């Protein structure tokens, strides 16, 4: 990755801020004075700045562009798709600032001036994951899910349209290139092996050209002999017709020899060109390698300094347990570390220390004194299982062993993961929570009672409101959950039988390993079925981690036959390397009733530093097939969702206008409110009441159940060293099983015999009758096998 690209990802690049949209009033936009990070003479009063507005005048959402340069020029001659001047919103003090933007290879980069392109990039945004939104005649926004947001202003509507068109085309190409790169596998980082490979390639190429030269010599030799033989034939007394044929063959032989000589000359020219440029390529390669190493060393040193400062702070200050800034302070705890400061140009930014990363330096991995599990570390796992089983028979467990503090050099692991798919990279359990992805998927049923209420609704539009609230509620358990779940092994399952207590039971199975995919089926005696197949893709971008769930969720109500589908939004974990980890959800969800045509559009608003809205805001509208809005939804994905009926009123021109019913508190109906977290949840991975029970040992489950996974159980009990060793053993066992299947498939291909690829045990892959997508649908028989305790078909994965 180029140094400028790295700078845009993990360097002092764009902060996670956004200017307020719309045309509302705001603070005056000041054009003069160089702010922090605007070093250099005359940087504050550059000719491209926006003129100061009168106090109390329109804010950046409504203000126009003052004089000071055109908003963008045509495509430059440097190989870029487009480059030119645009005005970029920086902050409320400096307002819009004139910046030189360059669009090239799916990346939009900006500089303070055109001359700065040679040495310093102020920020870069990858268009492959970005959204491009037009605000008004001159303003448009580029955002990649909350991590970076550029509010830009062109000098005219025509110039704005040129930029938006170029950006959309570049985004389409970038998405296509990203898909191709994902199929071919992640690129390895530049190293000494790349240099050796380049030299080997040149040697091989030279050898092949020598082979071609030898062939050319042989062709010339045999061609000469052929021509000599033909000449001798011509001297013989042969019929006139034979002489004509001999002349034709002679001409063709001459033409063949000329063509082969031309081919050899072209190959020789190519080799000379490659040798001429190889030194230049190696020099560029070395420069990029040095830049990467310097960046890694700088970030590693910064992370170490933050760790040292936090240890010093903890040693000097002891906060009371219930102070407003402590772990139990609720919502504000996450908000405090959310925003980057001010403009992307600012290089002196400060962040909170990462609590989940920084740990004491005792590498012995001893159990801490805060462990309240009641089981000492010298008790065997079997005895602990029995003890937990006895507790489970009495009541659902309400606590797990406290999370111990272990030291970990995060940067040493994460520095090689930038831009890669994390599911393909083995991680120590220090990054995990003691639950698998299958159990996290089951947590979607935390607020199953919303579907129970929906099943009783006679009005399909009201039912859709409850389905929308259920969709939002599944994200409430993630607000403080910054640790990753265990990647399930192929064939791993997880059941949750709550038929007696709550009226439903659920089954998940890992149906694919690469790409990782899990199938989920839940059915309730209260009249609904929920099923889904989710593929998780994740990319580490240096400053943040993007988690993109792919797949469709289906909810079917038995009494009415209403069939709803929707997809999940993107989850972003910010401040991966330095700062306090925090999570944001962004994107849109369209929930469709395939029987009636009713729809609900939910918008998850990404966090913005300057936004006056509440954090984690969600809005939505429920419409009938004609597009008429009947209900509006409002709330946050971590707290609650409300709805109110939208009544049409007569508009100014005699038409219908929408009534703003949400302004009246009494008109709102509470659809869903988050349950409070258990006591001391901050010491138990911020698990909810349901999450605390998911890994409790139960009898009669399948031998592939996640509760029986040994590395996960060891981690839950605080034995992380043993858990890491066990995790490596399980991954190696799975790797050997995969190689065995590949060898069997290859042998079957060579022998011409049929070979059945891996098939899920409890789910069948077939075309969905509603969405026409290929997906895994529950085939049945699991609960019957459990009742008989017949698990003979289950593979040995643990």
């Amino acid at each position: 990755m180029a140094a400028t690209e790295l700078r845009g990802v993990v360097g002092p690049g764009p902060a996670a801020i956004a200017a307020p949209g719309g045309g509302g009033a705001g603070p005056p936009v000041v054009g003069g004075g160089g702010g922090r990070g605007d070093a250099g003479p005359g940087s504050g009063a550059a000719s491209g700045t926006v003129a100061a507005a009168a106090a109390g005048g329109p804010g950046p959402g409504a203000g126009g562009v003052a004089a000071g340069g055109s908003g963008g020029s045509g495509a430059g001659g440097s190989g870029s798709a487009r480059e030119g001047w645009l005005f970029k919103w920086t902050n409320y003090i400096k307002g819009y600032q004139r910046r030189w933007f360059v669009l090239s290879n799916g990346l939009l980069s900006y500089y303070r001036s055109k001359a700065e392109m040679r040495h310093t990039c102020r920020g870069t945004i990858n268009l492959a994951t970005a959204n491009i939104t037009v605000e008004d005649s001159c303003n448009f926004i580029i955002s990649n899910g909350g991590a970076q947001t550029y509010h830009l202003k062109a000098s005219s509507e025509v110039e704005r349209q040129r930029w938006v068109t170029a950006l959309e085309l570049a985004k389409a190409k970038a998405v296509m290139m990203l898909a191709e790169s994902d199929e071919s596998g992640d690129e390895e980082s530049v190293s000494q092996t790349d240099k050796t490979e380049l030299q080997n390639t040149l040697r091989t190429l030279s050898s092949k050209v020598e082979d071609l030269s030898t062939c050319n010599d042989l062709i010339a030799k045999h061609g000469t002999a052929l021509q000599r033989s033909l000449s001798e034939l011509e001297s013989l007394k042969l019929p006139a017709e034979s002489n004509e044929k001999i002349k034709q063959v002679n001409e063709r032989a001459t033409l063949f020899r000329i063509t082969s000589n031309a081919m050899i000359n072209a190959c020789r020219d190519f080799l000379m060109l490659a040798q001429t440029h190889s030194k230049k390529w190696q020099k560029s390669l070395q420069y990029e390698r040095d830049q990467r190493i310097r960046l890694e060393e700088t970030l590693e040193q910064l992370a170490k300094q933050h760790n040292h400062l936090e240890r010093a702070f903890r040693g000097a200050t002891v906060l009371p347990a219930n102070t407003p800034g402590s772990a139990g302070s609720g919502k504000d705890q996450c908000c405090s570390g959310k925003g980057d400061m001010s403009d992307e140009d600012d290089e002196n930014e400060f962040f909170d220390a990462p609590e989940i990363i920084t740990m004491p330096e005792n590498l012995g991995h001893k159990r801490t004194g805060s462990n309240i599990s009641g089981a000492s570390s010298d008790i065997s796992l079997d005895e602990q299982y029995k003890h937990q089983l006895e507790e489970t028979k009495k009541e659902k467990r309400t606590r797990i062993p406290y999370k111990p503090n272990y030291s970990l050099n995060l940067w040493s692991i994460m520095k090689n993961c930038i831009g890669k798919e994390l599911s393909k990279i083995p991680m120590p359990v220090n990054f995990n929570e003691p639950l698998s992805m299958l159990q996290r998927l089951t947590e979607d049923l935390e607020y199953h009672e919303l579907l129970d209420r929906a099943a009783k609704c006679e009005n399909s539009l009201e039912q859709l409101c409850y389905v929308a609230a259920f969709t939002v509620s599944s994200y409430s358990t993630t607000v403080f959950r910054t640790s990753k779940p265990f990647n399930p092994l192929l064939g791993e399952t997880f059941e949750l039988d709550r038929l007696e207590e709550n009226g439903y039971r659920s089954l998940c199975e890992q149906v694919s390993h690469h790409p990782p995919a899990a199938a989920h089926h839940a059915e309730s005696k209260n009249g609904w079925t929920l099923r889904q197949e989710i593929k998780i893709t994740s990319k580490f971008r240096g400053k943040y981690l993007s988690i993109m769930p792919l797949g469709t969720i289906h909810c079917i109500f038995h009494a009415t036959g209403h069939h709803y589908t929707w997809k999940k939004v993107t989850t972003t974990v910010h401040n991966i390397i330095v700062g306090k980890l925090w999570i944001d959800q962004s994107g849109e969800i369209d929930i469709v009733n395939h029987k009636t045509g009713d729809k609900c559009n939910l918008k998850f608003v990404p966090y913005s530093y300057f936004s006056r809205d509440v954090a984690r805001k969600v809005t939505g509208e429920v419409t009938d097939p004609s597009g008429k809005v009947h209900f509006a939804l409002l709330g946050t994905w971590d707290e609650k969702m409300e709805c109110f009926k939208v009544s049409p009123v007569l508009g100014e021109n005699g038409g219908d206008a929408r009534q703003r019913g949400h302004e009246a508190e009494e008109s709102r109906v509470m659809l869903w409110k988050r349950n409070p977290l258990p006591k001391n949840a901050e010491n138990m991975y911020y698990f909810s009441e349901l999450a605390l029970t998911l890994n409790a040992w139960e009898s009669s489950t399948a031998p592939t159940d996640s509760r029986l996974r040994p590395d996960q159980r060891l981690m839950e009990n605080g034995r992380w060293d043993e858990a890491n060793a066990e995790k490596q053993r399980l991954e190696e066992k799975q790797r050997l099983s995969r190689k065995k299947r590949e060898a069997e498939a290859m042998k079957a291909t060579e022998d011409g015999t049929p070979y059945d690829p891996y098939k899920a045990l409890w789910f069948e892959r077939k075309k969905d009758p509603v969405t026409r997508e290929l997906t895994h649908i529950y085939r049945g028989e699991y609960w019957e096998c459990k009742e008989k305790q017949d698990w003979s078909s289950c593979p040995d994965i643990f």
Side-chain angles (χ1 to χ4, degrees), residues 367 370-376 384 387 391 399-402 717:
R367 294 288 293 274
S370 60
N371 193 326
I372 60 169
S373 66
S376 62
Q384 292 182 28
H387 177 68
E391 286 186 349
R399 63 187 186 184
I400 61 174
Y402 278 11
N717 287 288

Side-chain angles (χ1 to χ4, degrees), residues 589-610:
I589 294 178
D590 287 317
I591 308 173
V592 181
N593 186 335
H594 291 272
K595 183 178 180 180
T596 65
D598 301 333
K599 293 182 181 180
C600 176
N601 175 257
L602 293 172
K603 294 182 179 180
F604 288 67
V605 182
Y607 175 77
S608 173
Y609 186 79
F610 286 120

Side-chain angles (χ1 to χ4, degrees), residues 400 433-435 481 677-678 681 684-689 691-692:
I400 61 174
E433 61 182 18
L435 288 179
R481 302 272 287 278
L677 289 173
M684 298 183 290
Y685 308 90
Y686 287 100
F687 281 178
S688 63
E689 290 184 359
L692 288 173

